[in-house]
Amino acid sequence: MAEEITFEEFMKVDLRVAKVLEAEKVSGSENLIKMIIDVGGGEKRQIVAGIAKWYKPEDLIGKLIIVVKNLKPKKIRGILSEGMLLAADTPEKPVLLTVMEEVSPGTRVR
């Protein structure tokens, strides 16, 4: 079980709806997909996710996903990832978290 956090600690995590604008497999990797996402206000970011075994890049384009916007950037296989997408960890595959209705990229998730 994960350690409990306070409400104030949780509020430090900036969860946003993002729209996938571009997606491609990372050359030399079977697991990684690089995506360009719209996080609202005209801001685009690049994220890298280990989901290529389960998702095709072309199927991600246009999807609304949930991301951690304020995660410290990290290089993955030499590629800068400026956030993290959220997924439910099921036994079969990671299931990307999304929204039930159309909302604008950048909408805050609470």
Side-chain angles (χ1 to χ4, degrees), residues 33-77:
I33 293 179
K34 177 177 76 170
M35 291 169 270
I36 303 299
I37 59 172
D38 176 355
V39 293
E43 183 182 355
K44 295 179 184 175
R45 291 202 179 177
Q46 176 174 275
I47 61 171
V48 179
I51 58 172
K53 288 183 180 180
W54 304 279
Y55 295 94
K56 295 178 185 174
E58 59 269 20
D59 294 338
L60 298 170
I61 297 171
K63 299 290 186 208
L64 293 172
I65 59 174
I66 308 301
V67 298
V68 179
K69 185 178 175 188
N70 63 336
L71 190 66
K72 184 176 179 178
K74 177 181 178 178
K75 283 200 173 185
I76 301 173
R77 287 260 179 128

Side-chain angles (χ1 to χ4, degrees), residues 5-15 70 108-110:
I5 61 172
T6 67
F7 179 76
E8 290 76 19
E9 289 170 317
F10 172 74
M11 291 306 293
K12 290 179 184 179
V13 180
D14 190 2
L15 300 175
N70 63 336
R108 184 152 188 162
V109 176
R110 296 181 197 218

